[in-house]
Amino acid sequence: MKKSALILLLIFFSMLVHADEQPQPPLVVAHSAVTVEKLSKSQLRSIYLKRQVIWPNGDKIKVYMLPAKSLTHQQFSQTNLQMFPYQLEQTWQKLTFSGIGTPPVEIATAEQMLQLIQSTPGAIGYLPYVNEINDAKVIQIQP
């Protein structure tokens, strides 16, 4: 067998072995006092599109997001909201320019987002997947 054919075969088998390793989607995280345990993708989309602004217990929802160019934001938008980041941006621009609402607060880093979520009642945001989040609630997202 030629050396180049052997290399191609090794690359192919390597791709097969790692094909099922998908990156974990970002975690949806809320302030620890939020009483919601699970949200559907539709409910989460309503929160991020500012259609739902109050939690079931009456607390105001404070929505946070990472910069649109961040990989975590792109994954969150496509996986959890089933929208492209530019579609979210267009919706928020319409809300802002029409005077109906404001976009979510953009936070520069995941570390800052976690700190704000931990300290802001009613807050919701998302973080890159990690095994453990302290002093905040991870909300399960259902299809």
Side-chain angles (χ1 to χ4, degrees):
M1 189 179 254
K2 289 186 176 181
K3 189 175 183 180
S4 60
L6 182 60
I7 291 172
L8 287 174
L9 191 59
L10 287 173
I11 291 172
F12 174 74
F13 282 117
S14 174
M15 289 171 58
L16 285 177
V17 168
H18 299 290
D20 62 341
E21 294 179 12
Q22 296 292 328
Q24 292 286 342
L27 295 173
V28 176
V29 181
H31 186 269
S32 58
V34 169
T35 57
V36 173
E37 301 289 331
K38 300 175 185 176
L39 289 170
S40 69
K41 288 183 179 186
S42 176
Q43 290 171 311
L44 185 62
R45 190 177 319 110
S46 290
I47 290 170
Y48 268 85
L49 293 177
K50 300 293 194 122
R51 292 182 184 137
Q52 179 180 340
V53 295
I54 305 285
W55 289 112
N57 68 356
D59 289 345
K60 186 175 180 182
I61 300 174
K62 183 69 174 179
V63 183
Y64 294 115
M65 64 175 248
L66 292 171
K69 292 185 179 182
S70 76
L71 179 60
T72 303
H73 176 73
Q74 293 171 13
Q75 289 174 331
F76 170 78
S77 298
Q78 292 176 13
T79 303
N80 292 1
L81 303 180
Q82 298 175 322
M83 299 177 77
F84 290 105
Y86 77 87
Q87 292 172 307
L88 284 172
E89 183 67 30
Q90 287 174 345
T91 302
W92 296 328
Q93 286 177 0
K94 286 178 187 175
L95 289 173
T96 301
F97 294 135
S98 67
I100 295 173
T102 58
V105 177
E106 186 174 305
I107 307 301
T109 67
E111 292 79 20
Q112 291 173 337
M113 182 170 311
L114 179 57
Q115 289 173 351
L116 277 169
I117 290 170
Q118 291 169 331
S119 63
T120 308
I124 188 170
Y126 52 90
L127 300 168
Y129 183 85
V130 293
N131 287 328
E132 188 174 326
I133 300 282
N134 294 319
D135 301 324
K137 176 183 279 188
V138 175
I139 296 180
Q140 295 179 356
I141 303 303
Q142 300 174 325

